[in-house]
Amino acid sequence: MSTSQFLSKHFSRAVFSNQATLTRRKPLKRASILALSLATGIPALAQSPATLTYGDMTARLGALAQFQFQSNTDPVLAGTSDDFVLRRVRIYAVGTVGDLIEWRLDTDDPNLGKVAGNTNGTKNLNNVYIQDALIPLFFDPGFKLDTGLITVDPSHNAIVGAAKIYGWDAFAYQGLQNTPLQNNNSGTQGSAPLNRDFGLQARGLLFGGHLEYHAGFTNGYRNGANDTNASTGGNTGSGVTVIPGVTSISSNNSLRTTLRAQYNLFDNEGATYTTEGTYFGQKKIVSLSLGYEAQDAYKQRVAEFFVDLPVNGGKDVFTAQGGYWLYDGGTFLPSLLKQKDYSFEMGYNFGKRWNPIIRIEGRRFDTPGDASLGVPLSKTNWVLTPGAFNENRQSIGLDYWYHQHNASFKVFYTNVQPKNEVSAAGINSGLRNYH
């Protein structure tokens, strides 16, 4: 087996997704979002990057750069916010050691130059940070083990690579656990990057590739030394310091458990680390998946389907996917309110070039919202009732696949309708190169 075949078989080349939602610090009363995305690249950049080989060891480099312009209005503030932004700047390295070990290192520096949302008008100038640092072990097609800082989520849509998303972006309501789990940062100390966590994940294919599984055990949210029982304090004879008022060690809660099972009716997706939003007719995919995640009182359940089929004699591709999420942060993640969310997306790729897409999404809360989640405090007649933050989204757009996932042009219009809110609008356009 050649190096390129090994890498293609065992590891998706996708660069990992960073969820971009249309929510704001203050909820939108009714939002009409016009999203225009341009992603292009020259054919040379669409080639597989060169691979260095030394004995039974290999290494290769890759990069993703996405430049865009965005223009947004606010539901409360006057005027329009205009920005040129480097949405994503990523460099990654992948290598293998024999047939058993692979390593991967990714960096990111997102939203460079972004000003929207900063009331003092300052540009966002983050520092480069490590996004993925892992060593996957390939024991068998039925058992692969990821170790390190890894992508982990119970949702199929959440692990689609950022460079290989089908529509404008990932589903709006997947990954809502990331912020309370402290897995949404952009390089800030004390938190992991979006959809990442530290730990282990087993994945593989069983029953002739018809069953795919993912099982992860990661840190999740770690508690502090929060036992309030009084202690005498001071230094012990052994030199160990006892903190007054604390009798239990920090990080003593349970680990985060993430499970996903996927049944593949025809072809499988290889149980790869990340997956793709469409395979351009190269595979015949019809799958159903169930996901479950828990840590202490927090629970998440998700059911999804994914269809990606060559049609019209293989000239065109039909794609449809959807999911239904049940979130309950409980007392462990109280900011993650109990809710039922759904997303559905469908498109038809004519000649594997022109691809119109529609999307429908919704959010339904079981419990009231509160001011900490963005209720306008100046709105004196606001009534906190169940479903106060309910939301509907409808999108329609067009992908032009110039060179499949390596270069594409996207134009999307999204209408966001939060309950009892006024409208806001935004325009995004960008240039993306991935190889």
Side-chain angles (χ1 to χ4, degrees), residues 343-389:
S343 297
F344 171 77
E345 186 175 59
M346 181 175 65
Y348 190 94
N349 191 346
F350 294 91
K352 301 180 183 178
R353 291 284 188 176
W354 298 97
N355 194 165
I357 298 173
I358 62 170
R359 179 186 289 188
I360 300 172
E361 299 178 283
R363 192 178 195 182
R364 300 292 181 269
F365 286 93
D366 291 1
T367 55
D370 59 37
S372 66
L373 296 177
V375 174
L377 299 180
S378 60
K379 190 174 179 63
T380 57
N381 61 345
W382 185 271
V383 179
L384 295 180
T385 59
F389 296 93

Side-chain angles (χ1 to χ4, degrees), residues 128-161:
V128 176
Y129 64 91
I130 300 298
Q131 179 157 272
D132 294 270
L134 66 148
I135 301 178
L137 305 177
F138 300 103
F139 297 100
D140 182 84
F143 182 69
K144 308 169 187 178
L145 184 65
D146 300 322
T147 64
L149 176 58
I150 60 177
T151 298
V152 59
D153 197 281
S155 167
H156 176 276
N157 185 262
I159 64 170
V160 174

Side-chain angles (χ1 to χ4, degrees), residues 13-306:
R13 294 190 302 128
V15 181
F16 313 120
S17 59
N18 185 7
Q19 182 187 3
T21 66
L22 299 176
T23 58
R24 301 171 181 266
R25 293 181 180 178
K26 297 181 180 180
L28 308 178
K29 294 186 176 180
R30 177 181 175 87
S32 297
I33 306 299
L34 176 62
L36 174 63
S37 173
L38 171 63
T40 64
I42 61 177
L45 292 179
Q47 306 298 322
S48 296
T51 300
L52 303 177
T53 303
Y54 182 79
D56 64 348
M57 297 182 291
T58 67
R60 64 181 175 88
L61 295 175
L64 168 67
Q66 181 177 337
F67 177 75
Q68 69 183 39
F69 173 79
Q70 58 187 29
S71 180
N72 300 286
T73 62
D74 189 90
V76 177
L77 304 177
T80 301
S81 178
D82 301 323
D83 297 284
F84 287 106
V85 180
L86 274 172
R87 176 65 182 88
R88 294 181 177 96
V89 181
R90 301 183 182 183
I91 299 175
Y92 68 89
V94 176
T96 62
V97 180
D99 292 333
L100 174 64
I101 301 174
E102 183 174 320
W103 55 268
R104 184 175 184 106
L105 180 66
D106 279 346
T107 66
D108 198 6
D109 198 348
N111 296 318
L112 278 172
K114 184 177 180 180
V115 180
N118 299 335
T119 55
N120 60 1
T122 58
K123 298 176 183 177
N124 183 32
L125 297 174
N126 292 325
N127 296 319
V128 176
Y129 64 91
I130 300 298
Q131 179 157 272
D132 294 270
L134 66 148
I135 301 178
L137 305 177
F138 300 103
F139 297 100
D140 182 84
F143 182 69
K144 308 169 187 178
L145 184 65
D146 300 322
T147 64
L149 176 58
I150 60 177
T151 298
V152 59
D153 197 281
S155 167
H156 176 276
N157 185 262
I159 64 170
V160 174
K164 301 191 176 184
I165 293 173
Y166 183 61
W168 164 247
D169 216 313
F171 286 157
Y173 307 119
Q174 58 84 7
L176 297 184
Q177 77 280 6
N178 283 308
T179 296
L181 283 176
Q182 297 184 344
N183 293 332
N184 71 327
N185 99 320
S186 297
T188 307
Q189 185 177 2
S191 187
L194 183 69
N195 278 351
R196 273 69 171 181
D197 210 340
F198 299 90
L200 304 170
Q201 177 180 238
R203 52 188 168 91
L205 295 170
L206 303 173
F207 305 110
H210 288 289
L211 180 63
E212 176 179 333
Y213 73 89
H214 295 247
F217 301 93
T218 54
N219 282 344
Y221 181 83
R222 310 313 299 160
N223 64 7
N226 56 359
D227 192 327
T228 58
N229 293 330
S231 63
T232 57
N235 294 327
T236 66
S238 62
V240 177
T241 299
V242 177
I243 302 174
V246 176
T247 61
S248 64
I249 196 169
S250 62
S251 189
N252 61 14
N253 58 306
S254 66
L255 294 174
R256 173 189 179 190
T257 300
T258 306
L259 306 172
R260 187 170 71 86
Q262 177 175 316
Y263 176 75
N264 305 300
L265 184 61
F266 302 117
D267 295 334
N268 63 69
E269 299 183 79
T272 51
Y273 179 64
T274 60
T275 187
E276 302 184 20
T278 178
Y279 292 91
F280 298 99
Q282 299 170 9
K283 291 188 176 185
K284 188 179 180 181
I285 303 291
V286 176
S287 67
L288 297 172
S289 62
L290 296 175
Y292 176 78
E293 184 169 86
Q295 185 177 21
D296 290 353
Y298 153 65
K299 302 290 186 297
Q300 179 188 164
R301 300 169 179 85
V302 55
E304 293 173 284
F305 74 91
F306 179 42

